[in-house]
Amino acid sequence: MKTNYEKMIAEEEYFPDQELADLAYECSEGLLFINSQPPRSEERQTFLKKFFGSLGEHVTIKGNFNCDYGKNIYIGNGAIINCNVTILDTNRVEIGENVFIAPGVVISAATHPIDAQRRVSRHFQSHPVIIKDCAWIGANATILTGVTIGKNVVVAAGAVVTKDVPDNCLVAGVPAKIIKEIPQSSDMQDFSMENFGL
């Protein structure tokens, strides 16, 4: 029989139990440490590698960062997460390489039933969120459950993204819609950290 944590990750309905409460409490303790340390502190960086599901090289995570569990977040090389970002990682949240996440962004894998009776009786569910390489999520944007953001996408400030976004486009609005395609340079080089001497 699956645990509620296993049901949560499997995108099935689940109920918050003691295991999930304990994991959330551990995460809260970890966040107190993360947000009390300088962003480039060696001790903080070491802790972050254990805190997240995986953490790439040359990642910047600024202060007032919040999440539910931490262990369900996977961050690629060169990503930048600015201040006051919240990630509700009740399911897998993948952040690709060289993704820029501006201040005040909310990424939510979590959802609840629209029906009030089911909601108050604690029927919870969640779906993975994927943000692919080189995307830029503008200030105070919201990425909702089950959404995949394509490569090189720009999400305008304040946008609410409710469905998948294909590669190479700009989206804006509530709900977010494609505003235009973003042409990619034909001579684009490999933007690995080694090319920047890092």
Side-chain angles (χ1 to χ4, degrees), residues 136 138 151-157 159 165-173 176-183:
W136 172 22
K151 289 183 178 180
N152 310 316
V153 163
V154 176
V155 176
V165 179
D167 296 348
N168 306 317
C169 64
L170 166 66
V171 297
K177 296 180 181 178
I178 296 174
I179 304 300
K180 65 177 181 179
E181 293 185 6
I182 302 174

Side-chain angles (χ1 to χ4, degrees), residues 33-105:
F33 174 76
I34 290 167
N35 290 319
S36 68
Q37 300 296 308
R40 294 194 178 185
S41 156
E42 186 174 331
E43 191 176 3
R44 184 180 191 262
Q45 288 300 113
T46 300
F47 183 81
L48 287 172
K49 285 187 177 292
K50 297 176 183 177
F51 182 78
F52 292 118
S54 68
L55 182 71
E57 299 298 320
H58 311 292
V59 172
T60 298
I61 299 174
K62 294 192 176 179
N64 294 323
F65 174 79
N66 286 288
C67 62
D68 279 330
Y69 300 108
K71 62 190 291 184
N72 299 323
I73 300 172
Y74 300 80
I75 304 174
N77 297 331
I80 298 174
I81 298 177
N82 217 311
C83 54
N84 300 316
V85 168
T86 297
I87 301 178
L88 303 181
D89 61 316
T90 54
N91 212 301
R92 187 180 181 94
V93 175
E94 296 182 22
I95 297 169
E97 295 193 357
N98 300 307
V99 169
F100 290 7
I101 298 179
V105 167

Side-chain angles (χ1 to χ4, degrees), residues 129-140:
V129 175
I130 300 170
I131 302 175
K132 295 186 178 178
D133 296 350
C134 302
W136 172 22
I137 314 301
N140 298 309

Side-chain angles (χ1 to χ4, degrees), residues 105-148:
V105 167
V106 174
I107 300 169
S108 178
T111 188
H112 304 286
I114 294 175
D115 179 77
Q117 189 60 45
R118 288 175 64 76
R119 188 167 60 249
V120 299
S121 61
R122 301 301 189 265
H123 286 79
F124 293 172
Q125 200 166 6
S126 64
H127 308 285
V129 175
I130 300 170
I131 302 175
K132 295 186 178 178
D133 296 350
C134 302
W136 172 22
I137 314 301
N140 298 309
T142 300
I143 313 297
L144 294 182
T145 184
V147 166
T148 294

